[in-house]
Amino acid sequence: MSTTLQPYLKAVRQTLTAAICVENFSSQVVERHNKPEVEVRTSKELLLTPVTISRNDKEKVLIEGSINSLRISIAIKQADEIEKILCHKFMRFMMMRAENFIILRRKPVEGYDISFLVTNFHTEQMFKHKLVDFIIHFMEEIDKEISEMKLAVNSRARISAEEFLKRF
Amino acid sequence: MPDAHSFGVDPITCYSWNKDQTQLALSVNNNEVQIQNFANGKWSLKNTLTDHTQRVTGIDWASKSNRIVTCAADRNAYVWVQESGKWSPTLVVLGITRAATCVKWSPMENKFAVGSGNRCVAVCSYDKENNWWTSKKIKKPIRSTVTCLDWHPNNYLIACGSTDFKARVYSAYIKEVDEKPAPSNWGTTNNFANLMGEFSSEAGGWVHGISFSASGNHLAWVAHDSSICVVDANHGLKLTIVKTEYLPFMDVIWINESSIIVAGYGCVPMRFNYKDSLTFVGKLDDADSKQQPGKVSAMAQFKAMDSRAATDVETTLNSTHQNTIVQLSVFAGGKERCTKLSSVGTDGQIVIWDIK
Protein backbone atom coordinates (compact mmCIF):
# COMPACT_ATOMS: atom_id res chain seq x y z
CA MET A 1 0.00 0.00 0.00
CA SER A 2 2.79 2.38 0.87
CA THR A 3 4.27 1.93 -2.61
CA THR A 4 1.57 4.25 -3.86
CA LEU A 5 2.50 7.03 -1.46
CA GLN A 6 5.59 8.34 -3.25
CA PRO A 7 4.07 8.58 -6.74
CA TYR A 8 0.96 10.13 -5.19
CA LEU A 9 2.95 12.83 -3.41
CA LYS A 10 5.10 13.38 -6.49
CA ALA A 11 2.00 13.96 -8.61
CA VAL A 12 0.60 16.38 -6.03
CA ARG A 13 3.92 18.22 -5.88
CA GLN A 14 4.16 18.65 -9.68
CA THR A 15 0.57 19.89 -9.87
CA LEU A 16 1.06 22.31 -6.99
CA THR A 17 4.28 23.71 -8.49
CA ALA A 18 2.36 24.53 -11.66
CA ALA A 19 -0.79 25.79 -9.96
CA ILE A 20 1.02 28.02 -7.48
CA CYS A 21 2.00 30.37 -10.34
CA VAL A 22 -0.37 33.15 -9.35
CA GLU A 23 -0.15 36.89 -9.89
CA ASN A 24 -1.82 39.97 -8.46
CA PHE A 25 -5.09 40.64 -10.27
CA SER A 26 -7.61 43.36 -9.52
CA SER A 27 -11.24 42.30 -9.80
CA GLN A 28 -12.78 42.91 -13.21
CA VAL A 29 -16.27 42.63 -11.75
CA VAL A 30 -16.25 45.07 -8.85
CA GLU A 31 -14.24 48.23 -9.03
CA ARG A 32 -11.30 48.68 -6.67
CA HIS A 33 -11.63 45.13 -5.36
CA ASN A 34 -8.90 42.52 -5.25
CA LYS A 35 -10.34 39.15 -4.26
CA PRO A 36 -9.15 35.53 -4.70
CA GLU A 37 -10.78 34.49 -7.96
CA VAL A 38 -10.96 30.82 -6.96
CA GLU A 39 -13.34 31.79 -4.14
CA VAL A 40 -15.35 34.43 -5.97
CA ARG A 41 -15.74 32.36 -9.18
CA THR A 42 -17.55 35.09 -11.14
CA SER A 43 -15.36 35.08 -14.28
CA LYS A 44 -15.02 31.61 -15.77
CA GLU A 45 -12.04 32.51 -17.97
CA LEU A 46 -9.94 33.27 -14.88
CA LEU A 47 -10.37 29.78 -13.42
CA LEU A 48 -8.23 26.79 -14.25
CA THR A 49 -9.62 23.26 -14.67
CA PRO A 50 -9.78 21.60 -11.22
CA VAL A 51 -7.53 18.56 -10.85
CA THR A 52 -8.25 15.64 -8.50
CA ILE A 53 -5.37 13.33 -7.62
CA SER A 54 -6.59 10.14 -5.96
CA ARG A 55 -4.52 7.55 -4.20
CA ASN A 56 -7.65 5.43 -3.74
CA ASP A 57 -11.32 6.27 -3.39
CA LYS A 58 -10.89 7.47 0.20
CA GLU A 59 -7.70 9.54 -0.10
CA LYS A 60 -7.59 12.32 -2.65
CA VAL A 61 -6.52 15.90 -3.22
CA LEU A 62 -8.47 18.51 -5.20
CA ILE A 63 -6.45 21.38 -6.61
CA GLU A 64 -8.44 24.32 -7.99
CA GLY A 65 -6.39 27.08 -9.52
CA SER A 66 -7.09 30.56 -10.81
CA ILE A 67 -5.19 33.62 -11.90
CA ASN A 68 -4.50 34.95 -8.42
CA SER A 69 -5.24 32.13 -5.99
CA LEU A 70 -5.18 28.40 -5.46
CA ARG A 71 -7.36 26.15 -3.32
CA ILE A 72 -6.08 22.75 -2.18
CA SER A 73 -8.54 20.37 -0.50
CA ILE A 74 -7.42 17.13 1.09
CA ALA A 75 -9.53 14.06 1.92
CA ILE A 76 -7.73 12.12 4.63
CA LYS A 77 -7.84 8.34 5.04
CA GLN A 78 -10.29 7.45 7.81
CA ALA A 79 -10.53 3.69 8.13
CA ASP A 80 -12.83 3.36 11.14
CA GLU A 81 -15.05 5.33 13.51
CA ILE A 82 -12.24 6.31 15.87
CA GLU A 83 -10.14 7.70 13.03
CA LYS A 84 -13.14 9.61 11.73
CA ILE A 85 -13.70 11.28 15.09
CA LEU A 86 -10.01 11.98 15.64
CA CYS A 87 -9.59 13.42 12.16
CA HIS A 88 -12.66 15.59 12.51
CA LYS A 89 -11.53 16.97 15.86
CA PHE A 90 -7.94 17.49 14.76
CA MET A 91 -8.96 19.36 11.63
CA ARG A 92 -11.45 21.45 13.56
CA PHE A 93 -8.73 22.37 16.06
CA MET A 94 -6.47 23.61 13.27
CA MET A 95 -9.18 25.37 11.31
CA MET A 96 -10.27 27.36 14.35
CA ARG A 97 -6.72 28.71 14.45
CA ALA A 98 -6.55 29.34 10.72
CA GLU A 99 -5.11 32.88 11.13
CA ASN A 100 -1.92 31.48 12.57
CA PHE A 101 -1.57 29.03 9.73
CA ILE A 102 -1.90 31.87 7.19
CA ILE A 103 -2.77 29.65 4.25
CA LEU A 104 -5.44 27.52 5.96
CA ARG A 105 -9.09 27.94 5.03
CA ARG A 106 -11.62 28.10 7.89
CA LYS A 107 -14.03 25.67 6.28
CA PRO A 108 -13.12 22.67 4.17
CA VAL A 109 -14.53 22.39 0.69
CA GLU A 110 -17.59 20.10 0.42
CA GLY A 111 -16.51 16.46 0.40
CA TYR A 112 -13.04 17.04 1.84
CA ASP A 113 -11.56 17.26 5.33
CA ILE A 114 -9.28 20.28 5.15
CA SER A 115 -8.63 23.08 2.65
CA PHE A 116 -5.83 25.55 2.02
CA LEU A 117 -6.14 28.85 0.18
CA VAL A 118 -2.91 30.27 -1.23
CA THR A 119 -3.13 33.72 -2.81
CA ASN A 120 -0.65 35.86 -4.71
CA PHE A 121 -0.04 37.83 -1.51
CA HIS A 122 1.29 34.65 0.12
CA THR A 123 3.54 33.78 -2.83
CA GLU A 124 4.91 37.33 -2.79
CA GLN A 125 5.93 37.02 0.84
CA MET A 126 6.98 33.37 0.95
CA PHE A 127 8.95 31.06 -1.30
CA LYS A 128 6.67 29.08 -3.61
CA HIS A 129 8.73 25.91 -3.40
CA LYS A 130 8.66 26.05 0.41
CA LEU A 131 4.87 26.45 0.41
CA VAL A 132 4.62 23.33 -1.75
CA ASP A 133 7.06 21.55 0.59
CA PHE A 134 4.85 22.50 3.54
CA ILE A 135 1.71 21.06 2.00
CA ILE A 136 3.40 17.81 0.98
CA HIS A 137 4.94 17.51 4.45
CA PHE A 138 1.49 18.13 5.95
CA MET A 139 -0.01 15.35 3.86
CA GLU A 140 2.76 12.94 4.89
CA GLU A 141 2.54 13.76 8.58
CA ILE A 142 -1.21 13.85 8.99
CA ASP A 143 -1.63 10.10 8.58
CA LYS A 144 1.14 9.43 11.10
CA GLU A 145 -0.38 11.86 13.60
CA ILE A 146 -3.82 10.33 13.40
CA SER A 147 -2.42 6.79 13.82
CA GLU A 148 -0.42 7.93 16.82
CA MET A 149 -3.49 9.54 18.37
CA LYS A 150 -5.50 6.39 17.76
CA LEU A 151 -2.88 4.29 19.52
CA ALA A 152 -2.86 6.77 22.40
CA VAL A 153 -6.66 6.64 22.66
CA ASN A 154 -6.63 2.87 22.65
CA SER A 155 -3.93 2.58 25.30
CA ARG A 156 -5.62 5.16 27.51
CA ALA A 157 -8.89 3.34 27.16
CA ARG A 158 -7.22 0.07 28.10
CA ILE A 159 -5.49 1.56 31.15
CA SER A 160 -8.58 3.32 32.45
CA ALA A 161 -10.71 0.21 31.90
CA GLU A 162 -8.13 -1.87 33.80
CA GLU A 163 -8.07 0.58 36.71
CA PHE A 164 -11.84 0.65 36.86
CA LEU A 165 -12.28 -3.11 36.68
CA LYS A 166 -9.63 -3.63 39.42
CA ARG A 167 -12.40 -2.69 41.88
CA PHE A 168 -14.39 -5.73 41.00
CA MET B 1 27.90 38.09 -14.10
CA PRO B 2 24.42 39.44 -13.51
CA ASP B 3 24.35 42.69 -11.57
CA ALA B 4 21.71 42.38 -8.83
CA HIS B 5 20.30 45.18 -6.66
CA SER B 6 17.69 44.78 -3.98
CA PHE B 7 14.97 47.27 -3.10
CA GLY B 8 13.74 45.45 -0.02
CA VAL B 9 11.48 42.46 0.48
CA ASP B 10 8.38 43.76 -1.26
CA PRO B 11 7.84 42.78 -4.87
CA ILE B 12 8.62 45.36 -7.54
CA THR B 13 5.38 45.65 -9.53
CA CYS B 14 6.56 47.74 -12.46
CA TYR B 15 9.48 49.93 -13.52
CA SER B 16 10.86 52.04 -16.32
CA TRP B 17 14.29 53.49 -17.09
CA ASN B 18 14.84 57.03 -18.31
CA LYS B 19 16.61 57.77 -21.60
CA ASP B 20 20.20 57.07 -20.51
CA GLN B 21 19.53 54.59 -17.68
CA THR B 22 20.65 57.03 -15.00
CA GLN B 23 17.27 57.10 -13.33
CA LEU B 24 14.70 54.46 -12.58
CA ALA B 25 11.01 54.91 -11.84
CA LEU B 26 9.60 51.94 -9.96
CA SER B 27 6.86 50.90 -7.59
CA VAL B 28 7.28 48.41 -4.74
CA ASN B 29 3.77 46.95 -4.59
CA ASN B 30 2.16 50.10 -3.17
CA ASN B 31 0.58 53.32 -4.39
CA GLU B 32 3.88 55.22 -4.62
CA VAL B 33 6.28 55.65 -7.50
CA GLN B 34 9.91 56.02 -6.51
CA ILE B 35 12.39 57.84 -8.73
CA GLN B 36 15.81 56.46 -7.97
CA ASN B 37 19.14 57.77 -9.23
CA PHE B 38 21.53 55.14 -10.50
CA ALA B 39 25.15 56.29 -10.51
CA ASN B 40 28.29 54.14 -10.29
CA GLY B 41 26.28 51.12 -9.25
CA LYS B 42 24.73 52.99 -6.32
CA TRP B 43 21.13 53.95 -5.80
CA SER B 44 19.74 57.08 -4.17
CA LEU B 45 16.06 57.97 -3.83
CA LYS B 46 15.33 61.29 -5.53
CA ASN B 47 11.55 61.68 -5.52
CA THR B 48 8.48 59.83 -4.38
CA LEU B 49 5.31 60.42 -6.38
CA THR B 50 2.26 59.74 -4.24
CA ASP B 51 -0.81 60.81 -6.18
CA HIS B 52 -2.24 57.35 -6.76
CA THR B 53 -4.53 55.92 -4.09
CA GLN B 54 -4.11 52.24 -4.93
CA ARG B 55 -1.41 49.89 -6.17
CA VAL B 56 0.53 51.28 -9.15
CA THR B 57 0.33 48.74 -11.98
CA GLY B 58 2.21 50.37 -14.85
CA ILE B 59 4.97 52.95 -15.36
CA ASP B 60 6.48 54.15 -18.63
CA TRP B 61 9.16 56.82 -19.02
CA ALA B 62 9.14 58.58 -22.38
CA SER B 63 12.81 58.86 -23.29
CA LYS B 64 12.66 61.77 -25.73
CA SER B 65 10.13 64.03 -24.06
CA ASN B 66 11.13 63.03 -20.50
CA ARG B 67 7.60 62.47 -19.26
CA ILE B 68 6.39 59.63 -17.09
CA VAL B 69 2.97 58.05 -17.38
CA THR B 70 1.71 55.89 -14.50
CA CYS B 71 -1.47 53.91 -14.09
CA ALA B 72 -2.91 52.19 -11.03
CA ALA B 73 -5.65 49.94 -9.70
CA ASP B 74 -7.56 53.09 -8.69
CA ARG B 75 -8.68 53.46 -12.36
CA ASN B 76 -6.54 56.55 -12.91
CA ALA B 77 -3.50 57.45 -14.96
CA TYR B 78 -1.24 60.45 -14.48
CA VAL B 79 1.25 62.08 -16.84
CA TRP B 80 4.17 63.53 -14.89
CA VAL B 81 6.31 66.37 -16.21
CA GLN B 82 9.51 67.45 -14.54
CA GLU B 83 9.86 71.12 -13.65
CA SER B 84 13.02 72.18 -11.82
CA GLY B 85 13.59 68.85 -10.11
CA LYS B 86 9.99 68.27 -9.08
CA TRP B 87 7.50 66.08 -10.91
CA SER B 88 4.02 67.49 -11.32
CA PRO B 89 1.09 65.30 -12.30
CA THR B 90 -1.73 65.80 -14.77
CA LEU B 91 -4.72 63.54 -14.32
CA VAL B 92 -5.77 61.71 -17.46
CA VAL B 93 -9.51 61.16 -18.01
CA LEU B 94 -9.46 57.49 -18.93
CA GLY B 95 -13.14 56.80 -18.41
CA ILE B 96 -12.62 53.24 -17.18
CA THR B 97 -14.46 51.76 -14.25
CA ARG B 98 -11.99 48.99 -13.38
CA ALA B 99 -8.32 48.86 -12.54
CA ALA B 100 -5.74 49.88 -15.15
CA THR B 101 -3.21 47.11 -15.71
CA CYS B 102 -0.47 48.38 -18.03
CA VAL B 103 0.60 51.52 -19.85
CA LYS B 104 2.99 52.32 -22.72
CA TRP B 105 4.00 55.47 -24.57
CA SER B 106 3.83 55.23 -28.35
CA PRO B 107 7.21 55.40 -30.19
CA MET B 108 6.67 59.07 -31.10
CA GLU B 109 5.40 59.81 -27.59
CA ASN B 110 2.38 61.74 -28.76
CA LYS B 111 0.01 59.02 -27.48
CA PHE B 112 -0.05 56.37 -24.84
CA ALA B 113 -2.19 53.29 -24.34
CA VAL B 114 -3.61 51.93 -21.08
CA GLY B 115 -4.94 48.40 -20.70
CA SER B 116 -7.62 47.82 -18.10
CA GLY B 117 -9.89 45.33 -16.35
CA ASN B 118 -12.71 47.09 -18.18
CA ARG B 119 -12.03 44.78 -21.16
CA CYS B 120 -10.68 47.68 -23.21
CA VAL B 121 -7.56 49.56 -24.19
CA ALA B 122 -7.74 53.33 -23.76
CA VAL B 123 -5.55 55.21 -26.24
CA CYS B 124 -4.89 58.73 -24.96
CA SER B 125 -3.72 61.75 -26.89
CA TYR B 126 -3.21 65.37 -25.96
CA ASP B 127 -6.02 67.76 -26.85
CA LYS B 128 -4.31 71.12 -27.37
CA GLU B 129 -7.50 73.17 -27.38
CA ASN B 130 -8.69 72.02 -23.98
CA ASN B 131 -5.21 71.41 -22.62
CA TRP B 132 -5.82 67.91 -21.36
CA TRP B 133 -5.36 64.25 -22.29
CA THR B 134 -8.42 62.55 -23.79
CA SER B 135 -8.92 58.89 -24.44
CA LYS B 136 -10.53 56.75 -27.09
CA LYS B 137 -11.35 53.16 -26.27
CA ILE B 138 -10.69 49.97 -28.18
CA LYS B 139 -13.34 47.50 -27.01
CA LYS B 140 -14.36 44.93 -29.60
CA PRO B 141 -13.93 42.04 -29.36
CA ILE B 142 -11.90 41.96 -26.12
CA ARG B 143 -13.77 39.80 -23.61
CA SER B 144 -11.65 39.99 -20.49
CA THR B 145 -8.99 42.04 -18.69
CA VAL B 146 -6.19 43.38 -20.91
CA THR B 147 -2.92 42.37 -19.26
CA CYS B 148 -0.16 43.66 -21.54
CA LEU B 149 0.39 45.81 -24.58
CA ASP B 150 3.10 46.99 -26.96
CA TRP B 151 3.28 49.57 -29.76
CA HIS B 152 4.47 48.89 -33.28
CA PRO B 153 7.38 51.17 -34.30
CA ASN B 154 5.12 52.86 -36.90
CA ASN B 155 3.29 54.60 -34.05
CA TYR B 156 -0.18 53.55 -35.03
CA LEU B 157 -0.50 49.79 -34.52
CA ILE B 158 -0.86 48.35 -31.07
CA ALA B 159 -0.78 44.75 -29.85
CA CYS B 160 -2.56 43.71 -26.67
CA GLY B 161 -2.82 40.45 -24.75
CA SER B 162 -5.72 39.59 -22.52
CA THR B 163 -7.01 37.00 -20.07
CA ASP B 164 -9.47 35.80 -22.74
CA PHE B 165 -6.46 33.83 -24.11
CA LYS B 166 -5.99 35.98 -27.22
CA ALA B 167 -3.37 38.37 -28.54
CA ARG B 168 -4.73 41.03 -30.88
CA VAL B 169 -3.29 43.73 -33.11
CA TYR B 170 -5.34 46.90 -33.52
CA SER B 171 -5.02 50.17 -35.33
CA ALA B 172 -4.66 53.05 -32.88
CA TYR B 173 -4.60 55.77 -35.52
CA ILE B 174 -5.96 59.01 -34.11
CA LYS B 175 -6.79 61.53 -36.83
CA GLU B 176 -6.09 64.59 -34.69
CA VAL B 177 -2.53 63.76 -33.74
CA ASP B 178 -1.25 61.29 -36.34
CA GLU B 179 -0.14 61.64 -39.92
CA LYS B 180 -1.77 59.40 -42.50
CA PRO B 181 -0.59 55.85 -41.83
CA ALA B 182 1.81 54.32 -44.33
CA PRO B 183 0.94 50.80 -45.50
CA SER B 184 2.41 48.08 -43.33
CA ASN B 185 2.44 44.32 -43.79
CA TRP B 186 -0.06 43.98 -40.95
CA GLY B 187 -2.65 45.61 -43.19
CA THR B 188 -3.58 49.23 -43.74
CA THR B 189 -6.46 51.06 -42.28
CA ASN B 190 -7.44 54.59 -41.45
CA ASN B 191 -9.94 53.57 -38.82
CA PHE B 192 -9.29 53.66 -35.13
CA ALA B 193 -9.88 50.35 -33.28
CA ASN B 194 -9.80 48.28 -36.46
CA LEU B 195 -8.78 44.71 -35.65
CA MET B 196 -5.77 43.71 -37.79
CA GLY B 197 -5.36 40.22 -36.40
CA GLU B 198 -6.44 37.99 -33.54
CA PHE B 199 -4.23 35.09 -32.48
CA SER B 200 -4.10 32.40 -29.85
CA SER B 201 -2.00 29.34 -29.03
CA GLU B 202 -4.24 26.27 -29.51
CA ALA B 203 -5.64 25.60 -26.05
CA GLY B 204 -4.62 29.03 -24.93
CA GLY B 205 -3.69 30.59 -21.65
CA TRP B 206 -3.85 34.09 -20.20
CA VAL B 207 -1.44 36.24 -22.16
CA HIS B 208 1.13 37.69 -19.75
CA GLY B 209 3.58 39.57 -21.97
CA ILE B 210 3.67 40.78 -25.58
CA SER B 211 6.37 42.47 -27.66
CA PHE B 212 6.92 43.74 -31.20
CA SER B 213 10.40 43.29 -32.64
CA ALA B 214 12.44 46.40 -33.52
CA SER B 215 11.24 46.35 -37.16
CA GLY B 216 7.66 45.61 -36.18
CA ASN B 217 7.49 42.60 -38.49
CA HIS B 218 7.42 40.05 -35.71
CA LEU B 219 5.14 39.90 -32.71
CA ALA B 220 5.91 37.58 -29.78
CA TRP B 221 3.81 36.82 -26.74
CA VAL B 222 3.91 34.45 -23.78
CA ALA B 223 0.91 32.80 -22.20
CA HIS B 224 0.03 30.84 -19.07
CA ASP B 225 0.10 27.49 -20.89
CA SER B 226 3.93 27.92 -20.88
CA SER B 227 3.88 28.65 -24.58
CA ILE B 228 5.73 31.23 -26.64
CA CYS B 229 4.04 32.36 -29.86
CA VAL B 230 5.47 34.42 -32.70
CA VAL B 231 3.54 35.94 -35.60
CA ASP B 232 5.54 36.82 -38.73
CA ALA B 233 4.03 39.66 -40.75
CA ASN B 234 6.61 39.12 -43.51
CA HIS B 235 5.03 35.76 -44.31
CA GLY B 236 1.34 36.50 -44.20
CA LEU B 237 0.87 36.54 -40.42
CA LYS B 238 2.26 33.02 -39.99
CA LEU B 239 1.87 31.81 -36.42
CA THR B 240 4.58 29.73 -34.72
CA ILE B 241 3.87 28.22 -31.32
CA VAL B 242 6.25 26.40 -29.02
CA LYS B 243 4.98 24.77 -25.83
CA THR B 244 7.80 24.65 -23.33
CA GLU B 245 8.19 22.34 -20.34
CA TYR B 246 9.03 25.24 -18.03
CA LEU B 247 6.77 27.15 -15.68
CA PRO B 248 4.78 29.90 -17.44
CA PHE B 249 6.57 33.05 -18.56
CA MET B 250 5.50 36.54 -17.51
CA ASP B 251 7.30 38.73 -20.01
CA VAL B 252 8.99 38.56 -23.39
CA ILE B 253 11.30 41.00 -25.16
CA TRP B 254 13.11 41.02 -28.51
CA ILE B 255 16.85 41.56 -28.28
CA ASN B 256 17.44 41.55 -32.03
CA GLU B 257 15.40 40.60 -35.06
CA SER B 258 15.81 36.88 -34.48
CA SER B 259 16.08 36.37 -30.72
CA ILE B 260 13.81 36.79 -27.76
CA ILE B 261 14.36 36.60 -24.03
CA VAL B 262 11.54 35.22 -21.89
CA ALA B 263 11.31 35.08 -18.11
CA GLY B 264 8.66 34.26 -15.56
CA TYR B 265 7.74 31.87 -12.76
CA GLY B 266 10.89 29.82 -13.31
CA CYS B 267 12.90 32.81 -12.01
CA VAL B 268 15.50 32.42 -14.77
CA PRO B 269 15.52 34.38 -18.08
CA MET B 270 15.85 32.19 -21.17
CA ARG B 271 16.84 32.90 -24.71
CA PHE B 272 15.03 31.57 -27.79
CA ASN B 273 15.98 32.07 -31.41
CA TYR B 274 13.37 32.62 -34.10
CA LYS B 275 14.02 31.64 -37.68
CA ASP B 276 10.80 30.12 -39.07
CA SER B 277 10.64 28.16 -35.81
CA LEU B 278 11.47 28.85 -32.20
CA THR B 279 14.48 27.08 -30.74
CA PHE B 280 15.71 27.13 -27.17
CA VAL B 281 19.22 28.57 -26.90
CA GLY B 282 19.98 28.69 -23.20
CA LYS B 283 19.33 30.19 -19.79
CA LEU B 284 20.87 33.53 -18.91
CA ASP B 285 21.40 32.46 -15.32
CA ASP B 286 23.78 29.53 -14.95
CA ALA B 287 21.83 28.40 -11.90
CA ASP B 288 22.60 24.72 -12.42
CA SER B 289 26.31 25.15 -12.69
CA LYS B 290 26.34 27.41 -9.68
CA GLN B 291 27.94 25.71 -6.71
CA GLN B 292 25.67 24.24 -4.08
CA PRO B 293 26.47 26.62 -1.19
CA GLY B 294 29.24 24.39 0.08
CA LYS B 295 28.53 21.23 1.94
CA VAL B 296 26.30 22.78 4.55
CA SER B 297 28.28 22.82 7.76
CA ALA B 298 27.49 20.10 10.26
CA MET B 299 26.94 22.81 12.85
CA ALA B 300 24.25 24.49 10.75
CA GLN B 301 22.48 21.21 10.14
CA PHE B 302 22.31 20.27 13.81
CA LYS B 303 21.20 23.76 14.75
CA ALA B 304 18.35 23.51 12.27
CA MET B 305 17.40 20.06 13.52
CA ASP B 306 17.34 21.30 17.08
CA SER B 307 15.38 24.52 16.61
CA ARG B 308 13.08 23.66 13.71
CA ALA B 309 13.23 19.85 13.41
CA ALA B 310 14.34 20.53 9.86
CA THR B 311 16.50 17.97 8.13
CA ASP B 312 17.57 20.26 5.28
CA VAL B 313 18.75 23.86 5.61
CA GLU B 314 18.28 24.89 2.00
CA THR B 315 15.61 27.55 1.46
CA THR B 316 17.00 29.90 -1.15
CA LEU B 317 16.89 29.16 -4.85
CA ASN B 318 20.06 28.69 -6.88
CA SER B 319 19.10 31.42 -9.32
CA THR B 320 19.79 35.16 -8.98
CA HIS B 321 16.11 35.98 -8.73
CA GLN B 322 14.49 34.36 -5.72
CA ASN B 323 10.94 34.72 -6.93
CA THR B 324 8.97 35.26 -10.13
CA ILE B 325 10.45 37.63 -12.72
CA VAL B 326 7.71 40.12 -13.59
CA GLN B 327 9.03 42.55 -16.18
CA LEU B 328 11.91 42.66 -18.65
CA SER B 329 13.28 45.71 -20.37
CA VAL B 330 16.18 46.65 -22.58
CA PHE B 331 19.02 48.32 -20.66
CA ALA B 332 21.52 48.98 -23.43
CA GLY B 333 21.49 48.61 -27.18
CA GLY B 334 17.80 48.99 -28.01
CA LYS B 335 15.56 46.21 -29.34
CA GLU B 336 17.67 45.89 -32.50
CA ARG B 337 20.95 44.94 -30.82
CA CYS B 338 20.41 44.60 -27.10
CA THR B 339 23.62 44.12 -25.12
CA LYS B 340 22.19 44.42 -21.64
CA LEU B 341 18.80 43.53 -20.24
CA SER B 342 17.17 44.37 -16.91
CA SER B 343 14.63 42.30 -15.04
CA VAL B 344 12.63 42.81 -11.86
CA GLY B 345 10.91 40.25 -9.73
CA THR B 346 8.57 39.71 -6.81
CA ASP B 347 11.69 39.21 -4.70
CA GLY B 348 12.31 42.98 -4.79
CA GLN B 349 15.44 42.73 -6.90
CA ILE B 350 16.43 44.37 -10.14
CA VAL B 351 19.07 42.44 -12.09
CA ILE B 352 21.03 43.62 -15.11
CA TRP B 353 22.07 40.81 -17.44
CA ASP B 354 24.76 40.83 -20.13
CA ILE B 355 23.70 39.48 -23.51
CA LYS B 356 26.52 37.87 -25.43
Side-chain angles (χ1 to χ4, degrees), chain A residues 96-128:
Chain A
M96 286 213 293
R97 292 153 183 81
E99 263 118 53
N100 293 350
F101 278 95
I102 309 176
I103 59 171
L104 195 59
R105 197 171 182 263
R106 276 191 177 273
K107 286 241 166 322
V109 165
E110 198 62 60
Y112 293 85
D113 299 307
I114 193 165
S115 294
F116 293 92
L117 176 67
V118 180
T119 63
N120 59 285
F121 301 108
H122 300 140
T123 57
E124 281 163 13
Q125 293 170 330
M126 302 184 263
F127 284 120
K128 295 198 291 287

Side-chain angles (χ1 to χ4, degrees), chain B residues 103-145:
Chain B
V103 66
K104 277 252 169 80
W105 283 106
S106 69
M108 279 176 44
E109 294 166 16
N110 56 350
K111 299 179 286 191
F112 61 86
V114 182
S116 83
N118 233 143
R119 306 154 213 256
C120 70
V121 176
V123 182
C124 306
S125 54
Y126 196 63
D127 185 357
K128 284 207 178 60
E129 286 170 14
N130 299 321
N131 213 18
W132 66 350
W133 292 87
T134 50
S135 74
K136 287 178 83 165
K137 296 214 204 38
I138 300 174
K139 282 199 179 157
K140 293 200 180 51
I142 308 177
R143 280 189 293 277
S144 193
T145 303

